[in-house]
Amino acid sequence: MDLQINQNFVDEIRERIEAEKFLLNEPMKEHTTFKIGGPADYLIFPSSIDEVAFIFHTLGKYGIPFVILGNGSNVLVLDRGIRGAVIKFDSPMSFIKRNDVRITAGAGALLQDVSNFAVKNSLAGMEFACGIPGSIGGAVFMNAGAYDGEMKSIVEGVRAVSPKGEVTEFEVDDLDFSYRHSVFQKNGYAVCEVELKLIPGDKKNIEEKVAGFTKRRESKQPLEMPSAGSTFKRPEGYYAGTLIEQTGLKGFAVGGAEISVKHAGFVVNTGGATAKDVLELIRQVQQRVFEKNGVRLFPEVRILGEAE
């Protein structure tokens, strides 16, 4: 892999960003839920919207490409890693605040934490998100959903930064939400803050609904193993996991990547899996499901970086 370190860029970023928040040649397997992925040239953890704007402006000045990560779920980083910069949101861009029926959360806040915060404040409408393993920024980017709920039903506004470093407010009508899609997949803006509008509810009823979803998730999904979450988008009229299971592929493996024996919709890392293993497994699943059922499966997981 050909690392591309620009010392002038490094020096300029280090004038503003703390050393522990700016890493060089960092293995991305340490920062994704799949535990797979080669090194990124730069990995930067911004602490504020102003820092995001500064970082983007500086990246543009030196012509350095970048990608944005939340919790590192729902992504597969390829084995040669990522050329350019990875911007990853965690603390302190993980705040959660309430204003009446609205919750404002930093992009790095875990969706599960925001959902729990809503429960504690007797706010309904976010129960579906209690088990989605990502950040709220990533959830908006993907219009994440589960149990017949999705982000577009609760997001009221987003504060984001453009690739040029301009802070912009997005209202709900600007977000172009559809199935696993938002405007941010096209415009390159980084989601930095999200405002949700919920409804007052009975705390006990909300808790019971969350407990029910949690029980379903824990009983059916391979939470004990590294994965990127659900691997394939749901084809219209079908469930990807059901099609894969009906094709006899539960437990089917390529290298360290395996179709989960607990839920066929998940590819898991059984230990030492490479991105190459995962891609080949995905390819074979797509081929075999199409041959048996005539249905094409498409990955839901984002694929980032350079292949071998």
Side-chain angles (χ1 to χ4, degrees):
M1 59 204 68
D2 301 317
L3 301 178
Q4 299 173 7
I5 303 299
N6 182 315
Q7 194 58 48
N8 290 330
F9 169 75
V10 170
D11 292 343
E12 194 161 334
I13 290 292
R14 281 181 172 160
E15 289 179 5
R16 177 85 176 262
I17 307 296
E18 298 172 13
E20 64 270 20
K21 299 284 189 180
F22 180 41
L23 308 177
L24 306 183
N25 190 23
E26 178 68 11
M28 290 308 298
K29 67 181 181 180
E30 305 296 334
H31 301 277
T32 64
T33 60
F34 227 153
K35 303 300 180 188
I36 294 173
D41 292 342
Y42 316 102
L43 177 60
I44 312 174
F45 300 90
S47 297
S48 65
I49 290 183
D50 287 344
E51 281 194 4
V52 175
F54 163 73
I55 291 164
F56 281 10
H57 174 78
T58 310
L59 287 166
K61 176 179 175 180
Y62 291 99
I64 296 171
F66 65 90
V67 296
I68 302 158
L69 282 188
N71 188 43
S73 59
N74 201 51
V75 297
L76 173 66
V77 176
L78 299 180
D79 297 317
R80 289 178 61 86
I82 297 175
R83 303 290 68 78
V86 175
I87 314 301
K88 193 167 191 292
F89 292 104
D90 64 359
S91 179
M93 292 192 70
S94 302
F95 62 86
I96 308 171
K97 301 183 291 188
R98 178 191 178 188
N99 180 15
D100 193 28
V101 296
R102 290 173 175 80
I103 291 176
T104 303
L110 295 181
L111 206 53
Q112 190 168 3
D113 291 343
V114 182
S115 181
N116 290 338
F117 182 85
V119 173
K120 290 177 184 176
N121 286 274
S122 302
L123 294 173
M126 200 176 176
E127 295 88 342
F128 72 89
C130 63
I132 298 176
S135 66
I136 196 161
V140 169
F141 179 89
M142 290 295 297
N143 185 27
Y147 305 121
D148 297 322
E150 53 188 348
M151 294 303 296
K152 76 174 186 179
S153 64
I154 57 174
V155 173
E156 187 167 69
V158 172
R159 200 169 181 215
V161 176
S162 78
K164 294 182 178 180
E166 301 156 333
V167 180
T168 306
E169 307 279 346
F170 288 80
E171 296 182 1
V172 67
D173 291 341
D174 304 323
L175 298 176
D176 192 26
F177 280 135
S178 59
Y179 179 69
R180 301 297 177 264
H181 173 83
S182 76
V183 70
F184 302 108
Q185 295 176 23
K186 297 182 294 185
N187 65 15
Y189 281 62
V191 175
C192 293
E193 290 183 8
V194 179
E195 184 167 319
L196 309 175
K197 186 177 182 181
L198 304 176
I199 55 177
D202 179 80
K203 188 174 183 180
K204 185 177 179 182
N205 289 341
I206 299 170
E207 287 175 336
E208 287 176 353
K209 196 171 182 181
V210 166
F213 287 155
T214 300
K215 185 176 180 180
R216 284 171 63 184
R217 180 170 177 265
E218 290 177 346
S219 67
K220 293 182 179 181
Q221 297 182 12
L223 306 181
E224 69 283 358
M225 302 186 77
S227 80
S230 182
T231 305
F232 296 98
K233 294 179 180 178
R234 188 175 73 191
E236 190 171 349
Y238 299 90
Y239 290 98
T242 302
L243 289 170
I244 295 166
E245 183 172 358
Q246 289 173 347
T247 309
L249 293 175
K250 263 192 173 182
F252 177 66
V254 174
E258 179 183 272
I259 298 296
S260 169
V261 296
K262 193 172 184 181
H263 190 311
F266 287 69
V267 173
V268 295
N269 180 357
T270 62
T274 64
K276 187 177 180 180
D277 293 339
V278 175
L279 291 177
E280 177 60 17
L281 183 58
I282 286 173
R283 187 193 69 78
Q284 292 204 36
V285 167
Q286 289 172 313
Q287 179 181 327
R288 296 186 190 197
V289 167
F290 182 72
E291 287 173 353
K292 181 175 175 62
N293 300 282
V295 180
R296 296 194 183 277
L297 296 180
F298 296 94
E300 181 172 316
V301 61
R302 292 171 65 205
I303 298 170
L304 305 174
E306 294 184 337
E308 288 289 349

